[in-house]
Amino acid sequence: MIAVATFTDPRPTALSTEREKALVEKHSALITELRKAGFEVLDVNRELGKYGVLEGGGNFGIDSMEESIKAGKLVAGSGAGGVIAGLWHWTESNLVTAMVREAKRPLLLYADDDPAWAGTTCVTSVGASLWESAVNDYALNHTRLKGDVEMVKAWARAVEAIDELSKRSILLWGAPYTLGMEHLMDDLPRLKRFVGDFIMLDQYVLVKKAEELLKEGSRVEGFYRWLTSKSRVVFDGKMLTPEVLKKQIALYLASKESFKEHRSVSAVSIKCQPELSEVYGVTACLIPALFPFNLDAEGEKDIIPATCEGDVKGTISSALLFYLSGKPPLFGDIKYVDDEMVMIANCGASSLYYARLSENPEENLRATTVQGQCQGASGGALTYRTPKATFTVARLVRKGGEYFLLYFLAEGVEITEEIESKLKWGKQWPHTAIRNPLDKESFISAMGANHLSLVPGDYREELRFVARLWGVKAVNLAERSEVRLITGE
């Protein structure tokens, strides 16, 4: 939910009636645009009963300290992720300050480009006063926009995404770090600036439940029949056998059960290596394949971002992209980079949505092949090649204790027969190729992880707003001047 509150001049001045009529039109038009874009909007002026007073000669806009405080309390109690202050004409700055003090929510100061009224004067005056008073971080770090409704929507998407993350937990099966990768470790209490909490469970909870499901049999067998009928499955008698696939299915179903036991989880990560892949004897590839997918053998389901190897920052990155876009996020390793291309291929599975990028899950399943893994004691990898599209790539990283949000807009690259012929290690994995925004040396130098997350579409503006609201540096890898922020070169 996004709140919209319009302010006005408390003084009785000339053109008051015309001004208030204009404020109603501008306020209502902005709310209409936001609702058309799918946002739930709290109309603060309506909640304050301001529509009715206009006919009696009163002001539609918030015009007193009492109303400002009440407006702030309304916003704070509504669950709204942020508040837009409509500053279409002059108001006294301390009225907005009072609202922000009570609301304690991300703040956008907005006016349109209408030269008939003093919106520009108001935005600059109020903004300067908020800096001066600094009553809270939201006052100090507010955003100002003028005459750009699309940017308002981008800000609103960013606010709603970080609000969702802040209220939800990350579920980690198996504690980081995996295979000695120190960048998978993190300062979890500090990361609660971004996410609600972390739930850390030993992978044994999945193994124990999986063994129970295998013994019971019917649920696993039904899933096995569904998967083998919807996708191409190639058994090799060694890495992938019917028994191995059923074991993977049991692990996936066990993870679904574990997920249901915990409320308000935004995303999950499975450590897998080496406890599952080697000790238990089978990779957990159906988890990153089917959690961020809207269908399985048991019917339609919610999309839940999922990553591997207990990658905390990668899981946050994937969840962020999901809440910005509503699309299943892809997560995977940076497998290969040259001056033209970045190849992303996760070690066994990524969201099956990327097999065809189809809104029909059956088409994505038909384009997927399950075949023997190249690592672990046994297991099936889920193979596909992502079609060309435009993607937003993002990754939260940390250098010397400072967080950076890396991102760029990438055009997909077709994986041709020539490229395919050069693949050997991990050829069974799902592969996605995108155009490199830099040269290979610069790209590798800027990377604070071996994993990336992406979704279709352009969410660069939203990510810039997220970084600002989080208080971290945004680095667009397509801008060399920004790349220097992290490389120091």
Side-chain angles (χ1 to χ4, degrees):
M1 181 189 294
I2 298 296
V4 179
T6 284
F7 290 78
T8 194
D9 191 340
R11 301 169 299 176
T13 60
L15 300 176
S16 293
T17 301
E18 290 87 345
R19 178 195 69 211
E20 295 306 304
K21 287 181 178 178
L23 295 188
V24 173
E25 291 177 3
K26 296 171 186 296
H27 176 91
S28 300
L30 177 59
I31 288 176
T32 297
E33 284 294 316
L34 289 169
R35 285 175 174 160
K36 280 166 56 178
F39 296 102
E40 183 181 354
V41 180
L42 173 69
D43 184 340
V44 175
N45 293 63
R46 183 174 295 281
E47 294 295 317
L48 293 173
K50 300 294 283 183
Y51 283 85
V53 301
L54 189 57
E55 295 178 1
N59 287 334
F60 168 77
I62 295 168
D63 61 0
S64 70
M65 188 62 68
E66 181 183 38
E67 284 186 342
S68 296
I69 293 171
K70 189 175 180 181
K73 290 180 177 179
L74 278 169
V75 174
S78 69
V83 56
I84 300 170
L87 305 180
W88 321 99
H89 187 58
W90 176 258
T91 192
E92 294 180 359
S93 300
N94 61 351
L95 299 182
V96 182
T97 301
M99 182 196 70
V100 175
R101 183 190 291 114
E102 296 295 331
K104 298 181 180 66
R105 293 291 187 278
L107 173 67
L108 170 64
L109 308 183
Y110 186 70
D112 60 10
D113 265 332
D114 186 353
W117 305 103
T120 300
T121 307
C122 192
V123 168
T124 52
S125 173
V126 169
S129 295
L130 290 169
W131 282 354
E132 188 72 31
S133 63
V135 292
N136 54 37
D137 285 342
Y138 302 112
L140 192 59
N141 298 310
H142 67 270
T143 299
R144 307 176 197 176
L145 291 174
K146 188 168 181 287
D148 192 336
V149 175
E150 293 308 309
M151 286 288 281
V152 172
K153 294 175 187 176
W155 178 86
R157 278 189 288 270
V159 165
E160 289 201 332
I162 65 174
D163 186 55
E164 285 292 329
L165 277 171
S166 71
K167 294 174 180 175
R168 296 174 182 267
S169 300
I170 300 289
L171 174 55
L172 303 169
W173 290 299
Y177 54 112
T178 302
L179 303 180
M181 289 185 280
E182 291 161 325
H183 67 277
L184 300 182
M185 303 174 76
D186 223 302
D187 184 346
L188 297 189
R190 187 176 170 194
L191 280 175
K192 288 188 181 182
R193 295 163 52 197
F194 309 147
V195 300
D197 204 355
F198 296 93
I199 302 168
M200 305 180 76
L201 302 176
D202 194 285
Q203 292 173 106
Y204 179 68
V205 301
L206 303 185
V207 171
K208 184 174 185 294
K209 183 63 179 178
E211 289 299 305
E212 293 172 1
L213 289 164
L214 286 167
K215 187 177 295 185
E216 186 274 333
S218 63
R219 194 174 170 197
V220 172
E221 290 294 337
F223 203 109
Y224 175 84
R225 290 192 296 271
W226 174 83
L227 184 58
T228 54
S229 68
K230 298 296 183 182
S231 299
R232 180 170 175 257
V233 180
V234 181
F235 295 114
D236 58 18
K238 183 180 179 181
M239 290 299 288
L240 184 62
T241 65
E243 291 71 29
V244 166
L245 183 56
K246 290 175 184 178
K247 206 170 180 180
Q248 287 186 294
I249 290 168
L251 275 175
Y252 168 71
L253 293 174
S255 68
K256 283 184 70 176
E257 291 302 306
S258 177
F259 176 83
K260 290 176 184 177
E261 292 171 0
H262 301 278
R263 294 182 179 180
S264 298
V265 171
S266 63
V268 302
S269 188
I270 181 74
K271 183 170 183 275
C272 188
Q273 301 184 74
E275 296 88 352
L276 298 181
S277 61
E278 300 288 348
V279 180
Y280 186 55
V282 64
T283 55
C285 295
L286 288 180
I287 294 172
L290 290 173
F291 259 75
F293 195 57
N294 62 347
L295 182 73
D296 67 15
E298 298 178 326
E300 294 184 2
K301 54 181 282 298
D302 291 338
I303 294 166
I304 306 297
T307 70
C308 301
E309 298 173 346
D311 185 345
V312 176
K313 291 186 286 292
T315 309
I316 293 172
S317 304
S318 290
L320 172 61
L321 287 172
F322 170 65
Y323 286 126
L324 290 176
S325 68
K327 298 288 187 181
L330 180 136
F331 170 88
D333 287 286
I334 303 168
K335 190 182 178 194
Y336 173 78
V337 178
D338 62 26
D339 289 338
E340 302 298 324
M341 177 181 68
V342 177
M343 186 81 78
I344 301 169
N346 203 36
C347 58
S350 292
S351 169
L352 296 189
Y353 172 71
Y354 291 83
R356 277 293 177 269
L357 293 171
S358 173
E359 298 307 312
N360 179 356
E362 301 275 352
E363 291 184 12
N364 299 309
L365 286 162
R366 285 195 295 271
T368 301
T369 298
V370 186
Q371 57 184 316
Q373 259 281 20
C374 64
Q375 62 184 30
S378 71
L382 290 94
T383 312
Y384 60 75
R385 304 294 182 251
T386 302
K388 289 173 63 176
T390 300
F391 303 103
T392 298
V393 186
R395 174 71 203 197
L396 184 67
V397 302
R398 185 166 63 150
K399 179 181 180 181
E402 182 179 5
Y403 287 98
F404 297 81
L405 183 57
L406 309 185
Y407 71 99
F408 61 97
L409 189 68
E411 290 299 321
V413 174
E414 181 183 358
I415 300 177
T416 63
E417 290 184 9
E418 180 184 0
I419 295 173
E420 189 75 34
S421 68
K422 296 177 181 178
L423 301 178
K424 186 173 183 180
W425 170 254
K427 189 171 183 176
Q428 308 94 324
W429 300 347
H431 283 64
T432 304
I434 55 176
R435 203 159 300 284
N436 189 348
L438 299 162
D439 58 82
K440 60 184 178 184
E441 286 82 7
S442 298
F443 186 90
I444 291 172
S445 295
M447 274 300 115
N450 60 310
H451 297 140
L452 289 174
S453 302
L454 60 80
V455 290
D458 183 356
Y459 297 94
R460 288 174 294 178
E461 298 294 347
E462 287 85 345
L463 288 169
R464 278 193 280 268
F465 283 129
V466 166
R468 182 172 179 173
L469 291 161
W470 275 351
V472 304
K473 290 179 181 176
V475 178
N476 184 351
L477 294 188
E479 301 290 339
R480 287 189 175 272
S481 60
E482 294 187 21
V483 173
R484 297 189 187 100
L485 293 173
I486 190 165
T487 62
E489 297 173 358

